[in-house]
Amino acid sequence: MGINWVRTLFTLWIFISFVLVIYIVFNRRNKGNYDEAASSIFDDDENSLDNKNGQ
């Protein structure tokens, strides 16, 4: 097996991994998790402001 076969297999492995990550990210089942994570930034800010005002 020459170096070109190793490079080809490595490239295929990276491409398949990339496609898998894209599929997981854009899967509709995970949309709720990503929406919750995106809004958690704003939730933390509101909680910290409430704590400062309450003291």
Side-chain angles (χ1 to χ4, degrees):
M1 203 156 88
I3 189 72
N4 288 331
W5 278 105
V6 173
R7 290 176 179 167
T8 302
L9 292 176
F10 179 74
T11 302
L12 284 174
W13 176 254
I14 296 298
F15 179 73
I16 291 169
S17 300
F18 175 75
V19 170
L20 181 63
V21 166
I22 295 298
Y23 173 75
I24 290 171
V25 167
F26 288 109
N27 192 357
R28 290 183 187 244
R29 276 191 304 174
N30 295 329
K31 185 174 182 352
N33 294 336
Y34 290 116
D35 288 341
E36 182 181 336
S39 65
S40 69
I41 296 170
F42 302 115
D43 294 340
D44 289 342
D45 289 341
E46 290 174 2
N47 291 339
S48 65
L49 290 176
D50 290 342
N51 291 338
K52 287 180 183 177
N53 291 336
Q55 290 180 352

